[in-house]
Amino acid sequence: MKIKILIDKDFLKFGITKLLEEDHEVHYAKNFREVKKSEYLVTDKFIDRDRTVIIYSSTEEALFSSAKIKITEDSTAFEFLEAIEALKDGQSYSAKEIKKSEEKVLKSKEYLQNLNARQKFLISEIISGSTNSEIAKKLYLSEGTVKNNLTDLYRKIDVKSRMELIKICKLVLT
């Protein structure tokens, strides 16, 4: 199978070439115009086209993508080769970490839709940067009660910290 590679990072391009060259015909492209629609492509740039494996620099970046086949720079060689097989078979594929994050975001989205008014208020306050003490004053509660409410909220949404809650909310809401 002939595969074109359009990647700027030399170490990534070299590693992918080494993985592919034994079983595939590898060619380099300087830009997208050099790649015909009928050709297979491995790239680290987002392009909306079939027959493409896109390599993202982070899982978060991949989550926002509508690409059919997506892996990250941290993916294993085995995952990359699975992505190539999916490419040949016309299937979709997401690396393990991306798939895990996609599932977590979907699960969190369900939980976020079923929150009560207080939980929604807590999230909006956290996103706006309010401290537990500030939230407690706004709700006329003790700081301990706010902490307990946040602990329950974290458990319900399956996050471990304020930052993770903010990150999940941003992923779900965008």
Side-chain angles (χ1 to χ4, degrees):
M1 177 167 97
K2 182 179 174 182
I3 300 175
K4 290 221 174 166
I5 297 176
L6 177 57
I7 296 175
D8 292 331
K9 297 176 183 172
D10 287 336
F11 73 93
L12 194 55
K13 188 187 312 183
F14 178 74
I16 288 169
T17 301
K18 286 294 179 196
L19 283 171
L20 292 174
E21 66 187 359
E22 189 174 310
D23 296 323
H24 306 284
E25 186 181 331
V26 178
H27 298 272
Y28 298 111
K30 292 178 183 151
N31 56 55
F32 290 120
R33 290 184 296 274
E34 292 182 19
V35 184
K36 297 176 189 161
K37 285 188 179 195
S38 61
E39 294 179 310
Y40 296 107
L41 174 66
V42 176
T43 186
D44 58 354
K45 294 151 189 50
F46 181 74
I47 180 170
D48 188 17
R49 78 183 288 277
D50 290 331
R51 300 176 176 235
T52 303
V53 173
I54 300 180
I55 303 170
Y56 295 93
S57 58
S58 70
T59 301
E60 288 78 21
E61 189 180 64
L63 286 175
F64 292 108
S65 167
S66 60
K68 278 181 70 175
I69 302 177
K70 43 192 174 180
I71 62 174
T72 65
E73 292 175 4
D74 296 333
S75 296
T76 65
F78 180 74
E79 286 177 311
F80 176 72
L81 294 173
E82 281 185 324
I84 294 298
E85 285 303 311
L87 180 67
K88 284 195 294 193
D89 297 338
Q91 302 292 317
S92 294
Y93 181 84
S94 290
K96 184 178 168 184
E97 284 302 312
I98 297 169
K99 195 175 292 185
K100 198 164 102 177
S101 292
E102 288 171 335
E103 289 167 0
K104 183 169 185 164
V105 167
L106 285 174
K107 188 174 158 187
S108 296
K109 189 174 189 174
E110 286 177 33
Y111 292 142
L112 288 169
Q113 290 172 343
N114 296 316
L115 296 177
N116 63 38
R118 171 157 300 165
Q119 291 165 330
K120 289 177 183 176
F121 179 79
L122 288 172
I123 289 175
S124 69
E125 289 298 311
I126 288 170
I127 289 172
S128 68
S130 296
T131 65
N132 289 356
S133 176
E134 292 167 337
I135 295 170
K137 286 176 187 170
K138 288 178 184 177
L139 293 173
Y140 302 102
L141 298 171
S142 73
E143 197 170 334
T145 301
V146 169
K147 284 181 185 178
N148 290 338
N149 287 337
L150 287 174
T151 299
D152 290 342
L153 180 63
Y154 293 170
R155 195 175 308 119
K156 187 172 186 177
I157 300 175
D158 191 27
V159 296
K160 293 174 179 47
S161 68
R162 218 175 186 90
M163 289 309 299
E164 191 177 354
L165 176 67
I166 292 169
K167 188 171 152 183
I168 286 290
C169 289
K170 286 183 179 180
L171 286 171
V172 168
L173 299 173
T174 54

